[in-house]
């Protein structure tokens, strides 16, 4: 890791022995699509930059990790969780549960580790970029390394 900010996410990855590259960028609140803005800011394709969303599946919080330019398919995610219904969680609860601020939520190093699902399109790339646990920090890593840390499988969860 270079001189980028150390976060709970980067510490968790380091502890797990996962190689990653930090990509700090100038975070701008209020932009329409934060993930797409982040992709542009680091000069990477939006389909390789993944956003982490906290969703309630039958009132149980889970993470959906999907390409920045896509939307989560709630019915697909609910089915993957064995739930009947899925909906976005309110931002305050997402922050309280994960320990990260909205715009900086990472699937790594969460205060309460949530069951996570990553979109299968991640496997199409040699490297993907996921939030590093702070607003204005993405981390580049191999998709299989991300899967090994969050202990999930890659499935189709976008629309």
């Amino acid at each position: 890791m270079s001189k980028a900010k150390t976060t709970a996410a980067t510490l968790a990855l380091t502890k797990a022995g996962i190689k990653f590259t930090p990509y700090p960028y100038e975070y701008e609140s209020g932009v329409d699509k934060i993930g797409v803005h982040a992709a542009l800011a680091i000069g990477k394709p939006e389909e390789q930059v993944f956003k982490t969303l906290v969703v309630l599946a039958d009132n149980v919080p889970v993470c959906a990790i999907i390409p920045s330019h896509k939307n989560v398919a709630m019915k697909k995610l609910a089915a993957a969780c064995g739930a009947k219904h899925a909906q976005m969680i309110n931002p305050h609860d997402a922050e309280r549960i994960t320990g990260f601020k909205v715009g900086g939520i990472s699937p790594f190093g969460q205060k309460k580790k949530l069951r996570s699902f990553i979109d299968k399109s991640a496997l199409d790339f040699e490297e993907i970029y996921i939030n590093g646990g702070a607003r204005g920090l993405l981390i580049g890593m191999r998709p299989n390394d991300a899967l090994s840390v969050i202990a999930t499988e890659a499935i189709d969860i976008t629309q």
Side-chain angles (χ1 to χ4, degrees):
M1 195 167 122
S2 71
K3 294 180 183 179
K5 182 177 181 179
T6 299
T7 67
T10 61
L11 288 172
L13 290 171
T14 300
K15 184 177 178 183
I18 300 295
K19 290 182 183 179
F20 64 92
T21 304
Y23 288 87
Y25 66 95
E26 193 66 38
Y27 178 83
E28 290 185 35
S29 61
V31 295
D32 206 17
K33 294 187 175 203
I34 293 171
V36 173
H37 169 75
L40 290 170
I42 67 165
K44 300 296 180 183
E46 60 189 21
E47 58 271 11
Q48 278 183 264
V49 175
F50 283 68
K51 58 187 174 183
T52 305
L53 304 173
V54 182
V55 175
L56 289 175
D58 285 350
N59 293 316
V60 175
V62 298
C63 279
I65 305 147
I66 63 171
S68 63
H69 67 298
K70 298 246 180 155
N71 294 313
V72 66
M74 293 296 181
K75 287 184 181 182
K76 290 178 184 177
L77 183 60
C81 295
K84 293 181 181 179
H85 181 261
Q87 66 186 38
M88 291 299 298
I89 195 170
N90 76 54
H92 174 75
D93 287 341
E95 291 178 348
R96 180 181 49 77
I97 292 166
T98 64
F100 297 116
K101 294 277 185 201
V102 169
I105 293 177
S106 179
F108 316 111
Q110 296 174 349
K111 190 165 90 174
K112 177 184 177 188
K113 187 175 181 177
L114 300 180
R115 187 173 175 201
S116 297
F117 300 87
I118 191 166
D119 189 70
K120 69 179 183 177
S121 65
L123 299 177
D124 295 340
F125 306 104
E126 209 170 289
E127 185 172 49
I128 59 173
Y129 308 90
I130 302 175
N131 194 286
R135 293 172 175 167
L137 178 63
L138 291 174
I139 49 177
M141 62 193 313
R142 292 182 7 207
N144 285 328
D145 287 344
L147 286 168
S148 73
V149 174
I150 55 179
T152 190
E153 63 183 284
I155 59 173
D156 178 18
I157 54 170
T158 59
Q159 50 182 352

